[in-house]
Amino acid sequence: MKPSSIFIIGVAGGSGSGKTTFAHRLFEALGTERCCVLAQDAYYIDQSARFDYDGGSVNFDHPSSIDFDLMGAHLDRLKQGNTVNVPRYCFKSHMREAETTPMVPKAVVVVDGILVLSQPQVRCHFDTSVFLSIPEEKRFQHRLRRDVEERGRTVEGVHNQFFTQVKPMHDTFVEPSKNHAEHLITDYTVFDVVLSRVAAMVPR
């Protein structure tokens, strides 16, 4: 893949806003031959030595919990047409796994994560970007359901984490980063409209 032909799209928004759904819908619309998705969640720093209990002291929503320097370096390599080895993070053990996942650059790379627009070393690689600015109550209910059903967490732990860590970090780092987005979704009624608009921007 020639570097000049690679188009990188950043998709951000609060936890539970639907950003991952947007990223994967975009991936489906563009097709597996043309598109791949790079998730911020893969770049968590190993927290196993610090993790105390579900909803405890480890703040997973602070930028310092993510290796954004590595993520930015990987985006630079993908933009240059090079394969990268994406880390794997286990949300049950809170460890970075020994194995990595090779990612071969496609014509379109969709980058999904709550903080990707807040970090200049990541944001500088985006050709366009989307931010989902969804009300807090909707985001909390979505996160509660996901974390309990998919990540084996407790209702109490999810609630404590959301209101002591997720909300403050959202207000401080995530929501202000929407100012860097080219496309803004504030209501799900425009979800498909923005999806089509972004897909149409991708060079053929």
Side-chain angles (χ1 to χ4, degrees), residues 13-34:
S15 178
S17 64
K19 68 191 179 318
T20 299
T21 299
F22 186 95
H24 283 277
R25 285 274 304 277
L26 189 58
F27 169 75
E28 291 170 358
L30 296 172
T32 58
E33 295 300 315
R34 300 181 62 212

Side-chain angles (χ1 to χ4, degrees), residues 12-20 40-41 44 60-61 91 112-115 131-147 151 153 158 161-162 165-167 169-171 174-175 188:
S15 178
S17 64
K19 68 191 179 318
T20 299
Q40 173 193 291
D41 284 358
Y44 271 110
F60 291 94
D61 288 71
F91 285 94
D112 162 33
I114 64 171
L115 290 161
F131 187 95
L132 286 85
S133 184
I134 303 301
E136 182 178 290
E137 179 60 25
K138 290 184 178 180
R139 290 187 286 104
F140 171 68
Q141 290 301 326
H142 182 271
R143 179 165 175 141
L144 178 65
R145 182 172 60 255
R146 180 202 67 188
D147 283 5
R151 298 182 178 177
R153 300 190 53 205
V158 176
Q161 185 184 46
F162 191 91
Q165 296 175 353
V166 177
K167 176 178 169 54
M169 296 302 96
H170 177 86
D171 295 344
V174 182
E175 189 69 19
Y188 290 128

Side-chain angles (χ1 to χ4, degrees), residues 7-12 22 111 116-117 123 126-132 177-185 194 198 201:
F7 194 82
I8 301 182
I9 304 170
V11 181
F22 186 95
V111 183
V116 296
L117 282 175
R123 186 177 68 234
F126 298 159
D127 294 290
T128 191
S129 54
V130 180
F131 187 95
L132 286 85
S177 73
K178 70 182 180 183
N179 294 325
H180 298 290
E182 188 171 350
H183 308 275
L184 190 64
I185 297 175
V194 175
V198 173
M201 294 180 66

Side-chain angles (χ1 to χ4, degrees), residues 54-151:
D54 185 22
S57 62
V58 179
N59 191 337
F60 291 94
D61 288 71
H62 192 280
S64 63
S65 67
I66 306 290
D67 191 346
F68 282 115
D69 288 338
L70 178 60
M71 192 178 193
H74 279 181
L75 286 172
D76 184 60
R77 286 186 57 79
L78 288 168
K79 194 78 170 180
Q80 297 303 314
N82 299 309
T83 298
V84 298
N85 292 314
V86 180
R88 295 183 186 179
Y89 185 83
C90 176
F91 285 94
K92 292 187 177 181
S93 67
H94 303 289
M95 296 178 66
R96 181 177 285 186
E97 298 177 359
E99 293 186 2
T100 58
T101 302
M103 177 174 282
V104 178
K106 302 288 183 70
V108 183
V109 178
V110 179
V111 183
D112 162 33
I114 64 171
L115 290 161
V116 296
L117 282 175
S118 72
Q119 304 300 305
Q121 69 270 47
V122 173
R123 186 177 68 234
C124 67
H125 297 290
F126 298 159
D127 294 290
T128 191
S129 54
V130 180
F131 187 95
L132 286 85
S133 184
I134 303 301
E136 182 178 290
E137 179 60 25
K138 290 184 178 180
R139 290 187 286 104
F140 171 68
Q141 290 301 326
H142 182 271
R143 179 165 175 141
L144 178 65
R145 182 172 60 255
R146 180 202 67 188
D147 283 5
V148 171
E149 294 178 359
E150 298 178 16
R151 298 182 178 177

